[in-house]
Amino acid sequence: MRRLLALSTTAAVASLTLALGCTVPAQATSAPVSQDSQASAPALTDQSAALPGTSSTQAIADATLELPKGATVVSSANLSIPVTFTTTPNTPIKLKLVRVTDQSEVAGAQVSATAGADGKGTADVPAKSVEAGKYKIVDEGGLKQSGAITVTAPAAPGTEASPAPSNSAPATAAPSTTAPAQDKAAAEKKAAEAKKEAKKDERADGLDKYYPQLAKDLFDKDGNGTYKVTGPTAGGKSAGIVPKGLGSYYSQKVDFSSANCVALGYGAYAKKYEPTLKRPLECGYMIAPIDSKKPSTGDVAIGVMRIKASGKSKGSVMWNPGGPGASGMTLALVGALYQPELAKDFDMIGFDPRGTGSSMPFSQCSTDEQLDLDRATNSWGKPLDAAEKEQADITKRFAKDCFENTGKAFGLNGGARNTLMKHLGTWDAVGDLDMLRSVVGDKKLSYVGYSYGTRLGYVYAQKFQASAGRLVLDGVVDPGDAKAAAALKSLNASSNRYQDLNGKPVPAAKAGAKAADSEVNSEEQDNIAQGAGFQDTFEQFAKDCAAKGPADPAKQKTYGELWPKLFAKDGSFEGDTQLQGTKFECALGQSQDPKVLSTNSAKLLQTLETGGVNEGLPTAYERNLSFGDARTGFFQALYSEDLWGTLNVGLADLKAGADGTVMMSLADQYNDRDPQTGHYAPMLQAFTNIRCTDANNSANPAPDAHLRKLAKLYDEAAPFQAASQALGTPDYCQFWNFTGTLPQAEKLTKVPNVLVVSTSHDPATPYAAGPKLARMIDGTLLSVSGASHTSYNAEIKCVDDTVNNFLTSGVVPKDGDFGDKLKTPDTTKDDRGNTVTFPNLCKVKTFRDSDFVTSTTKAKAKDKVGFAVLHRDSEAKYTVSLTTGSGKGAAVKAVVNAQVAGMTTDNGGNHAGVFQVPAKTAPGQYMVVLKDARGAFVASRPLTVQKTAVPSKPKPPVVHKPKPKPKPVAQNSGENLSNTGSDSAGWIFGGAAAILVGAGALLVARRRKGEQN
């Protein structure tokens, strides 16, 4: 369930590389190469488009910074650096020398060059008399960079010269003079410091090779390669509710600065976008305890990016992109650029959840080389048993690597690493989110979460109900409960294929019905449902593909006509005039039958079932495309409609059997693999660590027969991607060292209104999970017609306006359809199997009933009457009055002591209480009126005050003979016992809190009545 940046590319565009040589002074001699360990900037994850003004190619460049071998050279008046580069043929490029420490340019160290017809070129970058330090060669936008160049000061007279690369000019002797001893000592000291600085970034096992520079500076100050996160810095001020024992964390001061953004690898982002924003990017680390119940266990560091409001700030909006495991820091930048009006009033906050991105320690499992080998191991095509064993071995080893390497660089032993892993899940991550809320000064959390980020938002509301503010959850991950299987009713509804929970095809009326002997648990059901979601989106793509490629050549359009953006300046296929002018043909054929299209798709993929290592289709990356990678690339392209054109190019290449570069590029994007360095970002490992820490089946591993059954069920739900035989392989979580830590989902009532966004044909998070969650949290559902993963920030006006108005004022539209009118109505299924029709692009439905109820409609003076306020304004003051008339007008006649109760609602807008009918209230008809703090009418309930019986005067006692005792009345005799108003209230109101139960029952009855109508 992942939310990734939708990008498309070809090998030529994706492979701008820089190789270094150096021209150095004559006195230099050759020396070993020094490699810089400055971390590359994480990719802009989980947005349906790149940042404004940034092409897909540039966005890939942001995430793919090459670090080839660098050099050590000596500063001189004639120093220049020859550069060999590879990029798109005949493309001009501007290169410059920058300082590693702050990414600042070196004056006069720039050069322009043009690649030849083969895409290769050379240039000499001037570096005259630069001071000692570390440098890199980067392109004009700062998005591609070379390895590091260490420049040392010239040797003092009479001392040995600094070493230089082997391709330098021959060394000659320097003039022989005698230098003062102090000069020699200073030179030696400086050389030792440079050597120590170079060694500081190295660790024998390479675990810290891609750690950001800020982490190295803060957590490995002595440079010995063992890291330690120190405690929080005092000096801040907490806000809102602070959990007991965590005051120092909630009131910490975070060092937000532009320099920290550079040290975290975001210097190029700052340079490119700060002129547009007219304010800086600020970054820093927030310190959080590994275990909030036992802070002495140790700490983790959470990477945070902040962009302050352009106007007067009203608070913050925090963002999470999903994954789980995706880096979220740059979403602050996305919010500021895409939603400038929102960013005028609110600070934008992006963060990397614990164990991800720049947060320390982040998740580390297998090495890059091992991951490449795992992907190249093309088990499909081997005999079933052998293929399953091969994949199971890979899975088991990967899980073991996660426990072996995560936190190892921080000096944690096996037991301590296990403890750390236990606290990398969602339940602990929402604690960091609450802490961040306080640190930035917000009493309530305002939040936007995509995909898995919706689970993070829901669990936050579950754990911190009183601190929840305005939450937007887009692309819902099924929250899970005893009725989770109902979501399977939506399996592939568009092509009328349904199945029960045993995977048996059934009529639509029986879809989702649980068979008595079902062995499929809720997590497995969710996985199958997600497969069905991908199938649904595949059918949208395939039908569109077939319609764009008609059999009649006269009606065919070219790739350039159908997808002009792909071939525009900085587009993914820029300069590919041959493809631009090629008539479009759908690689899957012209059929509109989903079954035929699915079969054609599966057969294409199955051509890659070679059963060997690195035996798939050749690519431009010197790695062959396997069946698994092709399938992964297919999934990646289904995340966004913007990638459908690219997907057809890749499928056409696959059909021709000539080249797998496009599909491999898509697979690399999904796996967050840098095409230049071959490094996998932490997201892949964090995805597994978080998911398996939340829930796993390690205590009850699935037998082989069950695994095969699940694989078959998945392929039946998503036949477009099916292999020729379904491999029953275990999940990573089956090999976890502990049971899951995420509590079961529950219905939430004490939270404010939550806006849930669900897209009709979302491939990764099926639509049905949206209405299900909205019901569970008494929220509001914004439904959107579309086939991409999530909808906010995708330039859909009715979505952006609705979300922004909600975040700004808490207001949502009235129930109904709105937005652009669709040419053809769209349909999908909700969690109860009902058809949802979209005449317009957007639709709103609220599941949040605001109400005011009383325990009775009849009472007497002095009687106690219970009342409940439900889902009104959060933490707001209200009064209850007893009036004559409707209670709406100003000229109402109030009885004595008209105000009978006052209250403040909880965070969900609820309150339960009891008032007493004033003693002097005359019999008659009254209204129990709810008013807000301004005295304005909100709601009312009728109350009849009955006459109180007057006791008769006592008479002298009369002696009577004893009478026989009456026979007891049988309980089933049908006789009714009379109740006063207070008596009838008593069964509901044993205490004030019980009003919510009674009021809830009234609301349930009303809802049921409404649903029956």
Side-chain angles (χ1 to χ4, degrees):
M1 302 172 185
R2 314 184 49 202
R3 176 82 175 112
L4 294 177
L5 175 61
L7 300 174
S8 57
T9 185
T10 61
V13 176
S15 61
L16 168 61
T17 61
L18 298 175
L20 290 177
C22 293
T23 300
V24 293
Q27 71 266 26
T29 57
S30 62
V33 168
S34 168
Q35 172 127 357
D36 183 84
S37 60
Q38 174 86 5
S40 61
L44 288 175
T45 59
D46 298 338
Q47 286 306 115
S48 59
L51 289 169
T54 303
S55 71
S56 298
T57 302
Q58 288 172 322
I60 287 179
D62 285 342
T64 56
L65 305 177
E66 184 193 12
L67 294 172
K69 292 183 178 180
T72 299
V73 299
V74 178
S75 177
S76 75
N78 62 344
L79 177 63
S80 64
I81 304 171
V83 180
T84 300
F85 59 90
T86 304
T87 185
T88 305
N90 304 313
T91 300
I93 183 173
K94 292 182 179 180
L95 303 174
K96 58 188 178 182
L97 187 69
V98 301
R99 299 174 180 87
V100 167
T101 54
D102 60 2
Q103 300 294 305
S104 60
E105 295 182 32
V106 176
Q110 297 86 28
V111 68
S112 296
T114 301
D118 59 355
K120 297 180 179 180
T122 60
D124 289 328
V125 180
K128 298 178 180 180
S129 300
V130 296
E131 64 270 25
K134 286 188 175 182
Y135 297 85
K136 289 184 179 180
I137 302 294
V138 301
D139 71 323
E140 184 180 28
L143 304 176
K144 282 291 179 181
Q145 61 180 317
S146 71
I149 309 156
T150 300
V151 177
T152 62
T159 64
E160 291 185 6
S162 299
S166 57
N167 62 344
S168 62
T172 57
S176 177
T177 59
T178 303
Q182 60 266 32
D183 289 347
K184 182 177 180 180
E188 290 175 346
K189 181 179 179 181
K190 198 162 190 177
E193 289 176 349
K195 184 176 180 180
K196 181 181 178 181
E197 182 67 21
K199 194 72 177 175
K200 178 180 177 180
D201 292 339
E202 298 178 5
R203 185 182 159 95
D205 56 15
L207 287 173
D208 64 344
K209 181 177 181 180
Y210 294 98
Y211 280 10
Q213 190 62 47
L214 184 61
K216 294 181 177 183
D217 294 342
L218 295 178
F219 308 133
D220 184 25
K221 293 182 179 180
D222 60 5
N224 65 2
T226 299
Y227 293 72
K228 181 178 177 59
V229 177
T230 53
T233 301
K237 185 177 181 182
S238 64
I241 299 173
V242 177
K244 185 178 179 180
L246 298 177
S248 62
Y249 291 94
Y250 273 67
S251 62
Q252 68 182 281
K253 182 179 180 180
V254 174
D255 178 22
F256 283 110
S257 72
S258 297
N260 283 345
C261 286
V262 173
L264 284 170
Y266 295 105
Y269 287 74
K271 182 175 181 180
K272 185 174 182 65
Y273 297 112
E274 283 180 355
T276 301
L277 294 171
K278 294 181 173 58
R279 56 196 192 279
L281 279 61
E282 299 176 323
C283 300
Y285 275 121
M286 181 188 77
I287 307 303
I290 292 175
D291 182 355
S292 61
K293 293 182 179 180
K294 192 178 179 182
S296 60
T297 301
D299 296 316
V300 294
I302 308 301
V304 184
M305 179 184 288
R306 177 179 69 183
I307 300 176
K308 290 184 177 180
S310 60
K312 185 177 181 180
S313 179
K314 298 177 181 178
S316 307
V317 175
M318 298 186 192
W319 303 72
N320 180 267
S327 169
M329 290 181 65
T330 52
L331 282 190
L333 183 55
V334 171
L337 291 167
Y338 273 82
Q339 308 299 339
E341 288 302 312
L342 182 69
K344 180 180 179 181
D345 296 328
F346 296 92
D347 299 344
M348 300 288 105
I349 306 288
F351 66 101
D352 289 348
R354 57 173 56 200
T356 73
S358 298
S359 293
M360 291 284 122
F362 58 64
S363 299
Q364 293 181 276
C365 299
S366 301
T367 64
D368 295 334
E369 294 77 13
Q370 183 63 59
L371 292 175
D372 275 348
L373 179 60
D374 290 348
R375 290 174 58 186
T377 303
N378 203 353
S379 303
W380 291 269
K382 289 185 176 182
L384 183 60
D385 288 343
E388 289 178 340
K389 183 181 185 305
E390 188 170 56
Q391 287 298 308
D393 288 346
I394 289 173
T395 301
K396 185 176 183 179
R397 191 221 66 251
F398 182 87
K400 181 181 178 181
D401 288 347
C402 293
F403 284 92
E404 176 66 25
N405 293 322
T406 300
K408 187 176 182 179
F410 285 74
L412 303 180
N413 60 25
R417 293 198 298 271
N418 202 70
T419 298
L420 172 65
M421 293 281 281
K422 279 186 178 180
H423 294 281
L424 291 184
T426 303
W427 192 248
D428 288 277
V430 298
D432 301 337
L433 185 56
D434 190 59
M435 188 182 300
L436 183 57
R437 166 200 61 76
S438 172
V439 167
V440 299
D442 294 342
K443 292 182 178 180
K444 303 291 182 184
L445 176 71
S446 290
Y447 170 84
V448 177
Y450 296 99
S451 195
Y452 161 79
T454 66
R455 172 166 289 177
L456 201 68
Y458 165 79
V459 174
Y460 177 88
Q462 183 181 13
K463 189 174 184 179
F464 300 101
Q465 295 191 36
S467 296
R470 293 165 187 165
L471 310 182
V472 178
L473 310 180
D474 185 3
V476 173
V477 174
D478 194 314
D481 64 8
K483 298 179 181 179
L488 285 182
K489 289 184 178 181
S490 65
L491 281 184
N492 243 14
S494 61
S495 40
N496 297 316
R497 287 193 299 275
Y498 296 86
Q499 56 188 218
D500 64 18
L501 296 189
N502 281 330
K504 180 181 178 181
V506 293
K510 296 183 179 180
K514 186 173 183 179
D517 62 345
S518 176
E519 298 176 355
V520 183
N521 64 41
S522 61
E523 288 291 325
E524 293 164 346
Q525 293 160 7
D526 290 345
N527 191 41
I528 295 169
Q530 188 184 48
F534 277 112
Q535 177 68 25
D536 180 36
T537 305
F538 162 77
E539 292 177 8
Q540 301 296 316
F541 154 73
K543 291 176 181 178
D544 179 77
C545 180
K548 281 183 167 69
D552 184 358
K555 297 181 180 180
Q556 283 182 300
K557 293 185 177 181
T558 65
Y559 274 91
E561 291 171 328
L562 292 171
W563 290 284
K565 289 184 179 180
L566 290 178
F567 300 93
K569 183 179 180 181
D570 297 330
S572 297
F573 296 102
E574 177 191 4
D576 194 337
T577 55
Q578 182 178 356
L579 182 60
Q580 183 177 17
T582 300
K583 293 284 187 179
F584 176 82
E585 292 184 12
C586 181
L588 300 177
Q590 277 74 50
S591 175
Q592 284 291 315
D593 184 342
K595 186 175 181 180
V596 172
L597 293 167
S598 294
T599 300
N600 292 346
S601 172
K603 285 182 177 179
L604 269 182
L605 294 175
Q606 289 167 16
T607 61
L608 296 171
E609 294 181 341
T610 61
V613 176
N614 206 28
E615 292 184 358
L617 202 61
T619 72
Y621 303 124
E622 297 182 355
R623 293 177 292 135
N624 289 349
L625 180 71
S626 66
F627 172 87
D629 276 334
R631 182 161 63 179
T632 299
F634 211 136
F635 283 135
Q636 170 67 7
L638 292 180
Y639 273 88
S640 172
E641 293 173 73
D642 291 340
L643 286 174
W644 286 5
T646 303
L647 176 57
N648 190 71
V649 174
L651 292 176
D653 288 346
L654 183 57
K655 188 175 183 179
D659 184 75
T661 299
V662 174
M663 296 303 289
M664 181 67 89
S665 175
L666 290 167
D668 283 349
Q669 291 167 32
Y670 185 97
N671 287 304
D672 240 1
R673 184 187 189 275
D674 185 323
Q676 306 305 321
T677 66
H679 175 57
Y680 288 84
M683 195 196 73
L684 180 70
Q685 291 90 330
F687 175 83
T688 300
N689 282 359
I690 296 169
R691 183 174 62 87
C692 296
T693 294
D694 282 354
N696 62 68
N697 62 338
S698 60
N700 186 28
D704 293 344
H706 183 69
L707 295 175
R708 287 181 180 178
K709 176 181 179 180
L710 291 178
K712 184 178 179 182
L713 290 178
Y714 191 93
D715 283 355
E716 288 175 354
F720 80 95
Q721 54 76 64
S724 57
Q725 57 181 0
L727 270 59
T729 56
D731 184 24
Y732 299 112
C733 305
Q734 185 165 309
F735 304 105
W736 229 236
N737 288 355
F738 49 81
T739 57
T741 61
L742 185 64
Q744 187 174 357
E746 57 185 294
K747 184 172 177 62
L748 305 180
T749 59
K750 295 183 179 181
V751 295
N753 192 19
V754 175
L755 182 60
V756 177
V757 185
S758 200
T759 306
S760 60
H761 303 288
D762 188 315
T765 51
Y767 172 83
K772 177 182 176 181
L773 179 62
R775 285 191 181 91
M776 283 184 64
I777 57 179
D778 292 344
T780 295
L781 175 67
L782 171 62
S783 299
V784 187
S785 173
S788 292
H789 183 36
T790 76
S791 292
Y792 180 48
N793 264 339
E795 298 181 328
I796 304 173
K797 190 176 187 303
C798 59
V799 177
D800 289 356
D801 288 353
T802 299
V803 173
N804 291 339
N805 288 338
F806 175 75
L807 289 171
T808 301
S809 63
V811 174
V812 295
K814 293 181 179 179
D815 284 11
D817 301 295
F818 64 106
D820 294 343
K821 194 83 172 178
L822 299 179
K823 293 181 179 179
T824 303
D826 184 18
T827 60
T828 189
K829 297 280 186 177
D830 68 10
D831 58 314
R832 297 182 174 180
N834 300 316
T835 299
V836 180
T837 302
F838 294 81
N840 298 77
L841 198 55
C842 291
K843 177 191 295 286
V844 160
K845 179 176 176 58
T846 184
F847 295 94
R848 189 176 188 83
D849 291 317
S850 297
D851 215 332
F852 173 57
V853 297
T854 55
S855 60
T856 183
T857 59
K858 295 179 181 180
K860 297 176 182 177
K862 296 186 179 181
D863 280 351
K864 292 182 178 180
V865 178
F867 68 92
V869 176
L870 299 168
H871 290 331
R872 295 292 175 179
D873 291 342
S874 173
E875 297 182 351
K877 294 184 181 298
Y878 290 91
T879 60
V880 176
S881 301
L882 195 62
T883 70
T884 59
S886 66
K888 292 184 179 181
V892 295
K893 182 179 179 182
V895 299
V896 178
N897 296 324
Q899 180 175 320
V900 293
M903 79 212 75
T904 300
T905 58
D906 64 18
N907 198 32
N910 310 303
H911 181 82
V914 175
F915 71 83
Q916 187 175 41
V917 179
K920 296 183 179 181
T921 304
Q925 301 297 320
Y926 296 87
M927 298 298 291
V928 183
V929 179
L930 180 69
K931 296 181 180 180
D932 63 20
R934 299 170 299 169
F937 173 87
V938 176
S940 64
R941 301 292 295 169
L943 181 69
T944 299
V945 177
Q946 298 174 323
K947 183 178 180 180
T948 303
V950 179
S952 57
K953 293 181 179 180
K955 297 180 180 180
V958 178
V959 178
H960 296 283
K961 294 180 180 180
K963 292 183 179 180
K965 293 182 178 180
K967 295 180 180 180
V969 178
Q971 290 185 352
N972 61 353
S973 65
E975 296 186 30
N976 296 320
L977 301 177
S978 61
N979 291 322
T980 63
S982 58
D983 289 334
S984 63
W987 69 271
I988 302 178
F989 305 101
I995 183 64
L996 289 177
V997 177
L1002 289 173
L1003 287 178
V1004 168
R1006 291 182 186 181
R1007 289 175 180 172
R1008 287 176 178 171
K1009 182 177 179 181
E1011 289 173 0
Q1012 289 170 357
N1013 295 337

